[in-house]
Amino acid sequence: MAGIDYAYVYEGKAITHPIDPFDPQNRLVGKASLTGFDLTQAPVAGAEVPLRLFWLNDGMQPDEHFYVRLTDTLEQDWAWGSCMTDPAFGDPAMWQDDEIIESQCQLVIFPGTPPGEYLVRAGIVTKEGTVIGQVNLTQEEGKVMVSGPDDFPGDEWVPVEHRVQSPLGDDLALIGYDGTLALHKPSEVVPLTLFWRGLQETDDSYVVRLTLQGDGPGQYAEWKGIPVNGRYPIRNWQAGELVRDPWQLTIPASLPTGTYDLALTLIDQDKHTVGSLALGSLAIEGREHDFSLIEPPAKKQPARLGEAVHFLGYD
């Protein structure tokens, strides 16, 4: 104005994955709204990838932080990372509402994650670990592509709770599994993650059967499925490739109390058993049953009807 420059406008750094913060599903009321995220390098299975979150402050507290997850369409986890606010944004007590704040995250992509498309989930957690809320981004805004590693880790470098390292046929080997084989109750969902090694490339299709077998009547349960829920066909596996395979085993509501053996069987496309493996045992604490009468019948008339039934009376 009048030959005087009052302001200079510069192009700022663009967010590589912008998000609409005014969409209600991207807002955690009273805490923050996501505006986007940056990935500084391409995500690779088994790698730790820096990720930067951008969000509008709406009341975040100093002891609250973001976390980041990568999930599939079944909401199963394939990567997880904790986030810390960039110290360049100063004292959290001085943050203003609607001020843009940035967090630095370290996203750890689990070894054996199949290459493909995943979804970003970002949430807020307290210092005690309590989840306050989570933003589930749409496929359009939160899609991330994960690629396979150049070299597959050896069995000894794969962090698993239970090591097995057992070939099941010529094409696949189970190197271990994660899961808590402890006391469970009927209707409980038990997470179990299998870790497979492709021994050679194959065109065969395999079905995994998991069974619980006890010693008494009715003490049996079974689950069947294709590895990785069919998201990553075995014909695409490379020789030597590590593949992570998560399962959710829902204990049948009718399963009685007892100790059960958990076993895995691999079945080929001709329905032939390729191999079987005992994974361990777990205890089921079934529901207690009370067969006593709440009150006796008005007309008592005890009688024995064969060996199986006693008649008590009628109302």
Side-chain angles (χ1 to χ4, degrees), residues 177-192:
Y177 64 94
D178 288 347
T180 303
L181 302 183
L183 184 64
H184 297 284
K185 295 181 179 295
S187 300
E188 184 178 343
V189 177
V190 180
L192 179 72

mmCIF file with all atom_site columns, all heavy atoms in Angstrom, residues 177-192:
data_model
loop_
_atom_site.group_PDB
_atom_site.id
_atom_site.type_symbol
_atom_site.label_atom_id
_atom_site.label_alt_id
_atom_site.label_comp_id
_atom_site.label_asym_id
_atom_site.label_entity_id
_atom_site.label_seq_id
_atom_site.pdbx_PDB_ins_code
_atom_site.Cartn_x
_atom_site.Cartn_y
_atom_site.Cartn_z
_atom_site.occupancy
_atom_site.B_iso_or_equiv
_atom_site.pdbx_formal_charge
_atom_site.auth_seq_id
_atom_site.auth_comp_id
_atom_site.auth_asym_id
_atom_site.auth_atom_id
_atom_site.pdbx_PDB_model_num
ATOM 1   N N   . TYR A 1 177 ? 4.164   -69.027 17.348 1.00 0.00 ? 177 TYR A N   1
ATOM 2   C CA  . TYR A 1 177 ? 2.872   -68.364 17.499 1.00 0.00 ? 177 TYR A CA  1
ATOM 3   C C   . TYR A 1 177 ? 2.878   -67.508 18.752 1.00 0.00 ? 177 TYR A C   1
ATOM 4   O O   . TYR A 1 177 ? 3.634   -67.757 19.699 1.00 0.00 ? 177 TYR A O   1
ATOM 5   C CB  . TYR A 1 177 ? 1.726   -69.375 17.532 1.00 0.00 ? 177 TYR A CB  1
ATOM 6   C CG  . TYR A 1 177 ? 1.744   -70.328 18.710 1.00 0.00 ? 177 TYR A CG  1
ATOM 7   C CD1 . TYR A 1 177 ? 1.022   -70.057 19.866 1.00 0.00 ? 177 TYR A CD1 1
ATOM 8   C CD2 . TYR A 1 177 ? 2.491   -71.504 18.669 1.00 0.00 ? 177 TYR A CD2 1
ATOM 9   C CE1 . TYR A 1 177 ? 1.030   -70.913 20.942 1.00 0.00 ? 177 TYR A CE1 1
ATOM 10  C CE2 . TYR A 1 177 ? 2.518   -72.372 19.740 1.00 0.00 ? 177 TYR A CE2 1
ATOM 11  C CZ  . TYR A 1 177 ? 1.784   -72.082 20.873 1.00 0.00 ? 177 TYR A CZ  1
ATOM 12  O OH  . TYR A 1 177 ? 1.808   -72.941 21.953 1.00 0.00 ? 177 TYR A OH  1
ATOM 13  N N   . ASP A 1 178 ? 2.029   -66.483 18.738 1.00 0.00 ? 178 ASP A N   1
ATOM 14  C CA  . ASP A 1 178 ? 1.780   -65.631 19.898 1.00 0.00 ? 178 ASP A CA  1
ATOM 15  C C   . ASP A 1 178 ? 0.376   -65.932 20.409 1.00 0.00 ? 178 ASP A C   1
ATOM 16  O O   . ASP A 1 178 ? -0.581  -65.972 19.630 1.00 0.00 ? 178 ASP A O   1
ATOM 17  C CB  . ASP A 1 178 ? 1.872   -64.147 19.537 1.00 0.00 ? 178 ASP A CB  1
ATOM 18  C CG  . ASP A 1 178 ? 3.310   -63.705 19.277 1.00 0.00 ? 178 ASP A CG  1
ATOM 19  O OD1 . ASP A 1 178 ? 4.229   -64.470 19.607 1.00 0.00 ? 178 ASP A OD1 1
ATOM 20  O OD2 . ASP A 1 178 ? 3.495   -62.601 18.740 1.00 0.00 ? 178 ASP A OD2 1
ATOM 21  N N   . GLY A 1 179 ? 0.238   -66.100 21.702 1.00 0.00 ? 179 GLY A N   1
ATOM 22  C CA  . GLY A 1 179 ? -1.075  -66.340 22.285 1.00 0.00 ? 179 GLY A CA  1
ATOM 23  C C   . GLY A 1 179 ? -0.929  -66.739 23.733 1.00 0.00 ? 179 GLY A C   1
ATOM 24  O O   . GLY A 1 179 ? 0.055   -67.390 24.111 1.00 0.00 ? 179 GLY A O   1
ATOM 25  N N   . THR A 1 180 ? -1.896  -66.351 24.536 1.00 0.00 ? 180 THR A N   1
ATOM 26  C CA  . THR A 1 180 ? -1.882  -66.660 25.961 1.00 0.00 ? 180 THR A CA  1
ATOM 27  C C   . THR A 1 180 ? -2.684  -67.925 26.201 1.00 0.00 ? 180 THR A C   1
ATOM 28  O O   . THR A 1 180 ? -3.921  -67.918 26.125 1.00 0.00 ? 180 THR A O   1
ATOM 29  C CB  . THR A 1 180 ? -2.463  -65.503 26.780 1.00 0.00 ? 180 THR A CB  1
ATOM 30  O OG1 . THR A 1 180 ? -1.735  -64.317 26.497 1.00 0.00 ? 180 THR A OG1 1
ATOM 31  C CG2 . THR A 1 180 ? -2.375  -65.795 28.271 1.00 0.00 ? 180 THR A CG2 1
ATOM 32  N N   . LEU A 1 181 ? -1.996  -69.023 26.447 1.00 0.00 ? 181 LEU A N   1
ATOM 33  C CA  . LEU A 1 181 ? -2.673  -70.294 26.707 1.00 0.00 ? 181 LEU A CA  1
ATOM 34  C C   . LEU A 1 181 ? -2.893  -70.410 28.213 1.00 0.00 ? 181 LEU A C   1
ATOM 35  O O   . LEU A 1 181 ? -2.219  -71.149 28.917 1.00 0.00 ? 181 LEU A O   1
ATOM 36  C CB  . LEU A 1 181 ? -1.841  -71.454 26.173 1.00 0.00 ? 181 LEU A CB  1
ATOM 37  C CG  . LEU A 1 181 ? -1.511  -71.399 24.678 1.00 0.00 ? 181 LEU A CG  1
ATOM 38  C CD1 . LEU A 1 181 ? -0.752  -72.643 24.248 1.00 0.00 ? 181 LEU A CD1 1
ATOM 39  C CD2 . LEU A 1 181 ? -2.772  -71.234 23.862 1.00 0.00 ? 181 LEU A CD2 1
ATOM 40  N N   . ALA A 1 182 ? -3.856  -69.668 28.688 1.00 0.00 ? 182 ALA A N   1
ATOM 41  C CA  . ALA A 1 182 ? -4.145  -69.636 30.124 1.00 0.00 ? 182 ALA A CA  1
ATOM 42  C C   . ALA A 1 182 ? -5.623  -69.948 30.332 1.00 0.00 ? 182 ALA A C   1
ATOM 43  O O   . ALA A 1 182 ? -6.251  -70.600 29.507 1.00 0.00 ? 182 ALA A O   1
ATOM 44  C CB  . ALA A 1 182 ? -3.781  -68.260 30.694 1.00 0.00 ? 182 ALA A CB  1
ATOM 45  N N   . LEU A 1 183 ? -6.163  -69.464 31.437 1.00 0.00 ? 183 LEU A N   1
ATOM 46  C CA  . LEU A 1 183 ? -7.562  -69.728 31.751 1.00 0.00 ? 183 LEU A CA  1
ATOM 47  C C   . LEU A 1 183 ? -8.470  -68.824 30.928 1.00 0.00 ? 183 LEU A C   1
ATOM 48  O O   . LEU A 1 183 ? -8.288  -67.605 30.899 1.00 0.00 ? 183 LEU A O   1
ATOM 49  C CB  . LEU A 1 183 ? -7.805  -69.493 33.246 1.00 0.00 ? 183 LEU A CB  1
ATOM 50  C CG  . LEU A 1 183 ? -9.210  -69.810 33.768 1.00 0.00 ? 183 LEU A CG  1
ATOM 51  C CD1 . LEU A 1 183 ? -9.510  -71.296 33.630 1.00 0.00 ? 183 LEU A CD1 1
ATOM 52  C CD2 . LEU A 1 183 ? -9.342  -69.380 35.222 1.00 0.00 ? 183 LEU A CD2 1
ATOM 53  N N   . HIS A 1 184 ? -9.442  -69.423 30.252 1.00 0.00 ? 184 HIS A N   1
ATOM 54  C CA  . HIS A 1 184 ? -10.397 -68.672 29.438 1.00 0.00 ? 184 HIS A CA  1
ATOM 55  C C   . HIS A 1 184 ? -11.815 -69.114 29.788 1.00 0.00 ? 184 HIS A C   1
ATOM 56  O O   . HIS A 1 184 ? -12.030 -70.169 30.378 1.00 0.00 ? 184 HIS A O   1
ATOM 57  C CB  . HIS A 1 184 ? -10.126 -68.885 27.947 1.00 0.00 ? 184 HIS A CB  1
ATOM 58  C CG  . HIS A 1 184 ? -8.784  -68.383 27.511 1.00 0.00 ? 184 HIS A CG  1
ATOM 59  N ND1 . HIS A 1 184 ? -8.507  -67.053 27.334 1.00 0.00 ? 184 HIS A ND1 1
ATOM 60  C CD2 . HIS A 1 184 ? -7.632  -69.047 27.234 1.00 0.00 ? 184 HIS A CD2 1
ATOM 61  C CE1 . HIS A 1 184 ? -7.259  -66.903 26.948 1.00 0.00 ? 184 HIS A CE1 1
ATOM 62  N NE2 . HIS A 1 184 ? -6.700  -68.093 26.890 1.00 0.00 ? 184 HIS A NE2 1
ATOM 63  N N   . LYS A 1 185 ? -12.764 -68.283 29.372 1.00 0.00 ? 185 LYS A N   1
ATOM 64  C CA  . LYS A 1 185 ? -14.165 -68.558 29.659 1.00 0.00 ? 185 LYS A CA  1
ATOM 65  C C   . LYS A 1 185 ? -14.948 -68.709 28.356 1.00 0.00 ? 185 LYS A C   1
ATOM 66  O O   . LYS A 1 185 ? -14.549 -68.174 27.314 1.00 0.00 ? 185 LYS A O   1
ATOM 67  C CB  . LYS A 1 185 ? -14.772 -67.417 30.491 1.00 0.00 ? 185 LYS A CB  1
ATOM 68  C CG  . LYS A 1 185 ? -14.170 -67.276 31.887 1.00 0.00 ? 185 LYS A CG  1
ATOM 69  C CD  . LYS A 1 185 ? -14.821 -66.142 32.660 1.00 0.00 ? 185 LYS A CD  1
ATOM 70  C CE  . LYS A 1 185 ? -14.236 -66.031 34.061 1.00 0.00 ? 185 LYS A CE  1
ATOM 71  N NZ  . LYS A 1 185 ? -14.541 -67.216 34.884 1.00 0.00 ? 185 LYS A NZ  1
ATOM 72  N N   . PRO A 1 186 ? -16.067 -69.437 28.384 1.00 0.00 ? 186 PRO A N   1
ATOM 73  C CA  . PRO A 1 186 ? -16.907 -69.544 27.192 1.00 0.00 ? 186 PRO A CA  1
ATOM 74  C C   . PRO A 1 186 ? -17.327 -68.165 26.681 1.00 0.00 ? 186 PRO A C   1
ATOM 75  O O   . PRO A 1 186 ? -17.541 -67.236 27.467 1.00 0.00 ? 186 PRO A O   1
ATOM 76  C CB  . PRO A 1 186 ? -18.113 -70.339 27.692 1.00 0.00 ? 186 PRO A CB  1
ATOM 77  C CG  . PRO A 1 186 ? -17.582 -71.144 28.839 1.00 0.00 ? 186 PRO A CG  1
ATOM 78  C CD  . PRO A 1 186 ? -16.568 -70.265 29.492 1.00 0.00 ? 186 PRO A CD  1
ATOM 79  N N   . SER A 1 187 ? -17.399 -68.033 25.358 1.00 0.00 ? 187 SER A N   1
ATOM 80  C CA  . SER A 1 187 ? -17.743 -66.797 24.637 1.00 0.00 ? 187 SER A CA  1
ATOM 81  C C   . SER A 1 187 ? -16.592 -65.799 24.589 1.00 0.00 ? 187 SER A C   1
ATOM 82  O O   . SER A 1 187 ? -16.709 -64.759 23.941 1.00 0.00 ? 187 SER A O   1
ATOM 83  C CB  . SER A 1 187 ? -18.993 -66.117 25.209 1.00 0.00 ? 187 SER A CB  1
ATOM 84  O OG  . SER A 1 187 ? -20.110 -66.981 25.137 1.00 0.00 ? 187 SER A OG  1
ATOM 85  N N   . GLU A 1 188 ? -15.491 -66.079 25.279 1.00 0.00 ? 188 GLU A N   1
ATOM 86  C CA  . GLU A 1 188 ? -14.337 -65.187 25.242 1.00 0.00 ? 188 GLU A CA  1
ATOM 87  C C   . GLU A 1 188 ? -13.633 -65.293 23.883 1.00 0.00 ? 188 GLU A C   1
ATOM 88  O O   . GLU A 1 188 ? -13.571 -66.372 23.286 1.00 0.00 ? 188 GLU A O   1
ATOM 89  C CB  . GLU A 1 188 ? -13.369 -65.552 26.359 1.00 0.00 ? 188 GLU A CB  1
ATOM 90  C CG  . GLU A 1 188 ? -12.158 -64.638 26.490 1.00 0.00 ? 188 GLU A CG  1
ATOM 91  C CD  . GLU A 1 188 ? -11.262 -65.031 27.641 1.00 0.00 ? 188 GLU A CD  1
ATOM 92  O OE1 . GLU A 1 188 ? -11.719 -65.789 28.527 1.00 0.00 ? 188 GLU A OE1 1
ATOM 93  O OE2 . GLU A 1 188 ? -10.094 -64.592 27.658 1.00 0.00 ? 188 GLU A OE2 1
ATOM 94  N N   . VAL A 1 189 ? -13.100 -64.170 23.398 1.00 0.00 ? 189 VAL A N   1
ATOM 95  C CA  . VAL A 1 189 ? -12.329 -64.154 22.156 1.00 0.00 ? 189 VAL A CA  1
ATOM 96  C C   . VAL A 1 189 ? -10.853 -64.253 22.506 1.00 0.00 ? 189 VAL A C   1
ATOM 97  O O   . VAL A 1 189 ? -10.315 -63.412 23.235 1.00 0.00 ? 189 VAL A O   1
ATOM 98  C CB  . VAL A 1 189 ? -12.610 -62.881 21.335 1.00 0.00 ? 189 VAL A CB  1
ATOM 99  C CG1 . VAL A 1 189 ? -11.749 -62.855 20.074 1.00 0.00 ? 189 VAL A CG1 1
ATOM 100 C CG2 . VAL A 1 189 ? -14.088 -62.800 20.961 1.00 0.00 ? 189 VAL A CG2 1
ATOM 101 N N   . VAL A 1 190 ? -10.201 -65.280 21.982 1.00 0.00 ? 190 VAL A N   1
ATOM 102 C CA  . VAL A 1 190 ? -8.793  -65.537 22.281 1.00 0.00 ? 190 VAL A CA  1
ATOM 103 C C   . VAL A 1 190 ? -7.956  -65.183 21.049 1.00 0.00 ? 190 VAL A C   1
ATOM 104 O O   . VAL A 1 190 ? -8.083  -65.828 20.009 1.00 0.00 ? 190 VAL A O   1
ATOM 105 C CB  . VAL A 1 190 ? -8.574  -67.008 22.669 1.00 0.00 ? 190 VAL A CB  1
ATOM 106 C CG1 . VAL A 1 190 ? -7.098  -67.265 22.970 1.00 0.00 ? 190 VAL A CG1 1
ATOM 107 C CG2 . VAL A 1 190 ? -9.441  -67.382 23.867 1.00 0.00 ? 190 VAL A CG2 1
ATOM 108 N N   . PRO A 1 191 ? -7.093  -64.155 21.116 1.00 0.00 ? 191 PRO A N   1
ATOM 109 C CA  . PRO A 1 191 ? -6.229  -63.839 19.979 1.00 0.00 ? 191 PRO A CA  1
ATOM 110 C C   . PRO A 1 191 ? -5.107  -64.872 19.851 1.00 0.00 ? 191 PRO A C   1
ATOM 111 O O   . PRO A 1 191 ? -4.504  -65.270 20.847 1.00 0.00 ? 191 PRO A O   1
ATOM 112 C CB  . PRO A 1 191 ? -5.662  -62.453 20.313 1.00 0.00 ? 191 PRO A CB  1
ATOM 113 C CG  . PRO A 1 191 ? -6.368  -61.996 21.556 1.00 0.00 ? 191 PRO A CG  1
ATOM 114 C CD  . PRO A 1 191 ? -6.913  -63.206 22.220 1.00 0.00 ? 191 PRO A CD  1
ATOM 115 N N   . LEU A 1 192 ? -4.850  -65.272 18.626 1.00 0.00 ? 192 LEU A N   1
ATOM 116 C CA  . LEU A 1 192 ? -3.769  -66.207 18.338 1.00 0.00 ? 192 LEU A CA  1
ATOM 117 C C   . LEU A 1 192 ? -3.126  -65.772 17.028 1.00 0.00 ? 192 LEU A C   1
ATOM 118 O O   . LEU A 1 192 ? -3.819  -65.613 16.015 1.00 0.00 ? 192 LEU A O   1
ATOM 119 C CB  . LEU A 1 192 ? -4.301  -67.635 18.214 1.00 0.00 ? 192 LEU A CB  1
ATOM 120 C CG  . LEU A 1 192 ? -3.269  -68.717 17.898 1.00 0.00 ? 192 LEU A CG  1
ATOM 121 C CD1 . LEU A 1 192 ? -2.384  -68.989 19.116 1.00 0.00 ? 192 LEU A CD1 1
ATOM 122 C CD2 . LEU A 1 192 ? -3.949  -70.000 17.445 1.00 0.00 ? 192 LEU A CD2 1
#
